Amino acid sequence: VYFIGIGGIGMSALARYFKAIGKNVSGYDKTETELTIDLQQLGIDIHFEDKIDLIPADYYPENTLVIITPAVPKTHSEWNYFLERDYEVKKRAEVLGIITKDTFCFAVAGTHGKTTTSSILGHILYQSGVDVTAFVGGIVENYNSNLIGNGKTITVVEADEFDRSFLHLHPDIACVTSMDADHLDIYGDKSAIEASFTEFADKVEDKSKLFVTKGLPLKGITCAINEAADFSAFNIRIINSQYVYDVKTPTETLENIEFGLPGKHNLMNALMALAMAKTFGLPTENITSALRSFKGIKRRFSYQIKSEKLIYIDDYAHHPTEINAVHQAVRELYPNQKVLAIFQPHLFSRTKDFADDFAKSLAAFDEIILLDIYPARELPMEGITSSWLMDKIDNLNKKLATKKELIQTVLESEATV
């Protein structure tokens, strides 16, 4: 199996999977990262130049599956080499579709919460002894991996709305956590996104196996925090820096569930995972034990420094809704402290589409430092810059900084979080 873009978070999970089931795996990526180093340590051959000569000689059209990421440009030499010679070339989402077709598939969809919800669910299933493989879009702290388990009969996957990828999947149990506008470069407008989520939801014919956040325009089993729903979390307390709460299910009330990830959004993710695991038939004690032991995901409210004098948290929040969720969690945990937000916008198109919402979300922090926009797969857009975004932020304590200047700028701040 040959990967073009092997270092991506979703692609690298597939690479681990194919290596684990005994396939020869190799691939290309643009840059070396922690993920590619981890894959190389598993014995996977990776190179970082787009050169046809570097493709292993024994990878023939009749014995090789080529997997590509949507981020790769159509001019890529290796990709064109494979296409011209009639190799089987598939997108990551298509391959996940093939893998999940012959398994019992849990699919986790939503513009936010996919990675955390699927990680919690994968952890619950694996800790309960289920024959599961979970493909996750983040590095789960408990396993230091984006792949949980190596089961053959049950899969957990993130159902990604980008490029309508999730329509390739074959879910038996699914959830939709949220349907905010995102990826407008692909969809155009919010109604097109909602239509795509509806098409995904329709793949689950038995609506007792589809779980939705209460308020979404989809038929299914509803989940909510502090309000009436089929599955509802209530009586929420913070004890020893973690949540303790009760859950009302359609048949019973579960008391004193412990969960360590901060923020109401993470409570919702845990509730969704609990609802799916319960419906699958797992014992309550297995579910609550796994929730208690779940450590979280790297770059999702990850503590890098946690001392008396300074708290430094890393989070991949790249949408206004996610920034709001981080803000809520920080204020809840550190109510009287000065909070500095360092934000690097992700994609020119997303910055342009949500500029006013970004400005409003960021303005809620005590201080803001903006870095240059991270382009990822995009070319610059005229007029769309961090300076342009900063002008929209209604907060006097705001600064632009380059990566080189960042540490010094942070040291000059009086913020403690």
Side-chain angles (χ1 to χ4, degrees):
V1 184
Y2 190 88
F3 288 82
I4 302 178
I6 194 166
I9 192 73
M11 293 280 275
S12 58
L14 268 184
R16 289 177 197 267
Y17 168 78
F18 280 114
K19 183 70 178 170
I21 63 169
K23 301 295 180 191
N24 292 329
V25 180
S26 58
Y28 156 88
D29 210 294
K30 197 164 54 173
T31 47
E32 186 176 62
T33 62
E34 272 185 54
L35 281 174
T36 60
I37 292 165
D38 287 347
L39 294 178
Q40 286 170 318
Q41 285 170 352
L42 294 175
I44 294 173
D45 179 45
I46 301 173
H47 59 265
F48 302 96
E49 269 184 286
D50 177 16
K51 277 179 74 173
I52 291 159
D53 297 353
L54 297 173
I55 298 166
D58 54 350
Y59 280 47
Y60 304 117
E62 55 270 22
N63 72 358
T64 302
L65 169 65
V66 179
I67 305 175
I68 59 158
T69 172
V72 172
K74 297 232 177 336
T75 54
H76 197 275
S77 307
E78 292 185 15
W79 186 6
N80 283 295
Y81 171 87
F82 290 123
L83 290 176
E84 286 159 11
R85 284 157 186 77
D86 291 328
Y87 279 78
E88 188 175 8
V89 179
K90 292 194 179 294
K91 289 181 180 176
R92 172 181 157 267
E94 293 177 280
V95 177
L96 272 178
I98 294 164
I99 292 169
T100 59
K101 190 175 183 187
D102 298 324
T103 65
F104 186 96
C105 174
F106 290 87
V108 178
T111 41
H112 323 291
K114 281 190 297 292
T115 298
T116 305
T117 305
S118 52
S119 299
I120 298 167
L121 179 60
H123 179 64
I124 292 170
L125 293 165
Y126 182 73
Q127 294 297 322
S128 302
V130 173
D131 181 49
V132 67
T133 295
F135 299 87
V136 180
I139 302 298
V140 187
E141 298 276 11
N142 297 66
Y143 308 93
N144 197 31
S145 177
N146 50 354
L147 195 70
I148 300 174
N150 56 3
K152 303 286 187 288
T153 56
I154 292 159
T155 48
V156 177
V157 292
E158 288 188 34
D160 192 358
E161 73 280 1
F162 175 74
D163 206 19
R164 297 180 170 84
S165 293
F166 58 5
L167 300 181
H168 290 290
L169 299 174
H170 303 274
D172 295 281
I173 294 180
C175 72
V176 179
T177 61
S178 52
M179 283 165 49
D180 290 348
D182 198 1
H183 302 303
L184 297 184
D185 53 328
I186 303 284
Y187 285 99
D189 61 23
K190 190 176 181 186
S191 62
I193 290 178
E194 290 192 355
S196 200
F197 273 104
T198 301
E199 193 177 340
F200 168 76
D202 286 345
K203 286 176 163 285
V204 183
E205 289 174 19
D206 179 355
K207 296 306 176 194
S208 72
K209 303 280 168 60
L210 177 68
F211 298 85
V212 300
T213 299
K214 189 178 181 182
L216 293 183
L218 297 170
K219 277 190 181 145
I221 304 296
T222 56
C223 298
I225 306 284
N226 281 333
E227 59 175 309
D230 298 314
F231 282 81
S232 173
F234 65 101
N235 190 24
I236 300 159
R237 298 91 75 200
I238 295 178
I239 300 172
N240 296 330
S241 300
Q242 69 171 12
Y243 286 120
V244 180
Y245 58 100
D246 302 338
V247 171
K248 185 190 79 61
T249 79
T251 56
E252 62 187 317
T253 297
L254 314 177
E255 294 184 341
N256 299 323
I257 295 170
E258 297 169 40
F259 187 63
L261 268 59
K264 293 286 193 295
H265 60 299
N266 279 323
L267 266 187
M268 192 68 193
N269 296 333
L271 181 64
M272 282 273 187
L274 178 150
M276 288 189 283
K278 201 88 179 109
T279 301
F280 184 63
L282 292 183
T284 298
E285 55 269 28
N286 288 26
I287 298 171
T288 55
S289 171
L291 286 174
R292 193 181 309 118
S293 67
F294 185 72
K295 292 178 185 170
I297 298 150
K298 285 184 180 173
R299 303 210 61 212
R300 301 296 198 283
F301 216 90
S302 294
Y303 284 95
Q304 306 301 306
I305 299 171
K306 197 173 186 180
S307 69
E308 290 287 312
K309 293 180 181 175
L310 183 69
I311 304 291
Y312 171 40
I313 296 159
D314 182 24
D315 196 285
Y316 179 59
H318 56 281
H319 185 283
T321 304
E322 295 165 352
I323 295 169
N324 292 340
V326 170
H327 181 261
Q328 180 270 322
V330 168
R331 292 295 187 204
E332 187 174 61
L333 287 170
Y334 306 103
N336 303 314
Q337 303 214 35
K338 196 170 188 181
V339 182
L340 163 66
I342 304 160
F343 182 62
Q344 180 174 38
H346 186 274
L347 299 178
F348 294 101
S349 58
R350 188 183 282 127
T351 306
K352 174 174 166 277
D353 291 335
F354 301 110
D356 292 340
D357 292 331
F358 275 128
K360 191 176 175 187
S361 299
L362 291 166
F365 293 91
D366 299 310
E367 289 181 41
I368 307 104
I369 298 174
L370 278 189
L371 294 163
D372 287 337
I373 296 170
Y374 179 68
R377 56 185 178 267
E378 292 184 337
L379 294 170
M381 290 183 175
E382 194 175 341
I384 308 303
T385 63
S386 289
S387 177
W388 169 76
L389 175 60
M390 194 169 81
D391 287 343
K392 293 175 173 286
I393 298 173
D394 185 15
N395 185 324
L396 294 174
N397 297 314
K398 56 185 179 180
K399 287 179 181 172
L400 285 176
T402 64
K403 280 192 176 177
K404 272 189 175 175
E405 299 162 344
L406 181 57
I407 298 296
Q408 188 55 41
T409 311
V410 172
L411 290 172
E412 288 164 8
S413 166
E414 292 175 3
T416 49
V417 182

